[in-house]
Amino acid sequence: MDSEAARTARESLELAFHMSNILDTGLDRQTLSVLISLCELGVNPEALAAVVKELRTDTSSSSSLPSTSHKIEIYMSME
């Protein structure tokens, strides 16, 4: 990636992060970056949103990693 493209990518991430904060999503820069990258790779954004919501629900009620991993696989196969 050339320096101009890298600068544009950083600026875009900063803008998305700022909007995320305004909307009070609770997403950090790294998580937001991963979600954006997955969307750019063609993962369904609605499925990603459902995964994030489900992970938050699981985290607040209990941290059962196997069921969370299984849910991610289900959501990713929904495309």
Side-chain angles (χ1 to χ4, degrees), residues 1-12:
M1 181 182 292
D2 65 31
S3 62
E4 180 66 23
R7 185 182 63 76
T8 302
R10 279 193 304 276
E11 289 175 358
S12 296

Side-chain angles (χ1 to χ4, degrees), residues 14-42:
E14 281 305 308
L15 178 60
F17 182 65
H18 184 65
M19 290 186 319
S20 174
N21 286 336
I22 291 170
L23 296 170
D24 196 26
T25 65
L27 298 172
D28 59 32
R29 274 185 186 84
Q30 181 180 5
T31 303
L32 190 59
S33 177
V34 168
L35 293 171
I36 290 169
S37 294
L38 288 170
C39 288
E40 288 172 348
L41 291 171

